[in-house]
Amino acid sequence: MGRRTGRGAAVWRAVVRSAVVGAVLCVASAVLPGRVAVAAPDVPSYAFADDVRSVPATTGTTGAARLEPGATYRSSLRGEDKAYYRLELDGMSDVYVSVTAIPRAGAALSAGDGISVSVQDADSVTCSSDSVTVGTAVSPQPLTAWGARELLPGKGLCRKAGTYYVVVERTGTGAGSGTGATTGAGTGTSSGEEDTDLSDGRTWDLELAPVSEAPLAKAAATRVPEVWDSSTPTPPVDEPVSVRGGAGFAEAAAVEQGVRSDEILPGQTLFYKVPVDWGQQLSATVDLGSAEKNSGYVVDALEMTLYNPVRASVKDTGIGYGGSQKSASLPPVPPVGYANRYAPSDPTKSLRFAGSYYLVVHLAAQVADRFGEGPYGLTLRVRLGGSVQAGPGYARQSVPRGFFDVGAPDPVPSGGGSLAGADTSGDGASGGDPAMKAVAVGGIGTGSVLLMVLGVWTLTARRRAAAQMRVNAQNPTA
């Protein structure tokens, strides 16, 4: 969100700042959330949503905490335990829940370590499932998987209104490769002396983001387009514009078509978001700059993943690194269309929404061992093809409001339920900005006092001026 500015006298700005800062500092400590502690001195920790809600995980369905579409939640997953959360759904909307797990920096991981996410009904029927692993790079990074309750034609399961459960669990062998000593090939395998996070029962933080997609006002075509431009587009070659990638989905840097330059540290993950409308076709290329020295080779050094608005993985690409500059492009993907959800497989199936698509870039921690701590130059080239088309025509707003729109303000998933994204605080502040709420709360009382003081000061000054005029009139000077 941009910082609000305005015109006014310097004196007035100073008075307001001195009066409001005290109130903001007192209130902000209660409403502004913290981040995960930074485990490495140079790599920022994952940035949770500003309005994230803490929610406990249960190891069974009994007592499972309820998740409301439109809100964002923070929880945790320990060792081999399963974590359960509850959804109360109607029989008309599609609901998606993304889960991002954050291994601690420096964690000992094996290639199969990751998470799985499923949505189940009250009768233990699995509506959907997805999983993700760290892969052969074994570099600690945010891992995102998703689950859904979809109301698709011909699918008889999970269509009823009622209680559903989101089930999250760790995957992996529990035996060790890790981020310790690397082999000569730079693959990141360890000596085997250190147990992994899974076998040690270490806790991973979780971010859960449920979203509800409204039904259509009238039936739409279910036939998936069979013909689309699958040629590899030419990456843009404009002069790069500097940008700073975010440290989480909620802090993703907004980028559009063009070329952006950034820097990345080994072990760091950067998030960018691109608005993609119905009918548009996204392509992206990432360039990694050369190192100051060449010392071996790191397999799977850089990875870029494309996620759709509900944070479901669409496509990814990766490159190895030997110290010289490298470039990688996402494979061509179809244009965004509502009917893509009826495709038999990804990536087409995931390109079903308009909205913010995410490009997530990770540089493996092992790069520091071979080529130095960096930072390394990063160039992101984004192109939007196709032509904008009309949307499918939803019967009502999705939750959060405007989530599947392009050009609308970023959704503020603070309220949950049907009022998600709306300002229900009653204080006149923007619904999702804790800092503005602090200013509003502190400013109501403080502002009233200021107005009274200024009023008295003005009245006193006028009376003094009038009295002086009378004195001058009675005692004129030559």
Side-chain angles (χ1 to χ4, degrees), residues 11-208:
V11 173
W12 172 249
R13 290 197 298 267
V15 171
V16 171
R17 279 199 298 266
S18 61
V20 175
V21 164
V24 171
L25 291 177
C26 292
V27 179
S29 62
V31 301
L32 295 179
R35 291 184 178 181
V36 179
V38 177
D42 295 324
V43 178
S45 60
Y46 183 82
F48 287 86
D50 283 342
D51 55 356
V52 69
R53 302 177 180 181
S54 293
V55 64
T58 58
T59 55
T61 58
T62 302
R66 179 177 178 178
L67 305 180
E68 298 181 24
T72 305
Y73 298 89
R74 179 172 178 171
S75 190
S76 61
L77 179 65
R78 180 175 177 81
E80 298 181 356
D81 291 344
K82 291 183 179 181
Y84 285 81
Y85 309 90
R86 177 170 53 92
L87 297 168
E88 298 295 339
L89 306 182
D90 61 29
M92 301 174 61
S93 304
D94 290 336
V95 174
Y96 311 90
V97 182
S98 70
V99 181
T100 299
I102 303 97
R104 59 190 175 88
L109 302 172
S110 63
D113 284 344
I115 60 168
S116 70
V117 177
S118 63
V119 173
Q120 302 174 4
D121 69 8
D123 200 30
S124 299
V125 173
T126 298
C127 309
S128 73
S129 63
D130 184 38
S131 62
V132 61
T133 65
V134 295
T136 56
V138 293
S139 179
Q141 59 187 288
L143 303 172
T144 302
W146 68 298
R149 194 290 299 268
E150 301 174 271
L151 303 176
L152 298 176
K155 183 178 179 181
L157 301 177
C158 303
R159 302 187 64 88
K160 297 180 179 180
T163 300
Y164 291 79
Y165 296 97
V166 180
V167 185
V168 185
E169 61 182 312
R170 292 275 295 275
T171 62
T173 61
S177 62
T179 58
T182 57
T183 65
T187 58
T189 58
S190 74
S191 62
E193 297 178 356
E194 185 177 18
D195 290 335
T196 67
D197 263 27
L198 181 61
S199 61
D200 281 352
R202 299 295 181 91
T203 296
W204 287 2
D205 283 311
L206 301 178
E207 182 177 62
L208 301 97

Side-chain angles (χ1 to χ4, degrees), residues 233-241 253-260 273-276 280-285 359 380-387:
T234 302
V237 292
D238 307 337
E239 190 66 20
V241 176
V255 299
E256 297 180 346
Q257 177 169 289
V259 183
R260 303 293 186 273
K273 61 181 178 181
V274 185
V276 184
Q280 289 189 309
Q281 190 174 9
L282 174 65
S283 62
T285 297
L359 292 168
L380 190 65
R381 305 178 188 273
V382 176
R383 183 178 293 280
L384 288 172
S387 57

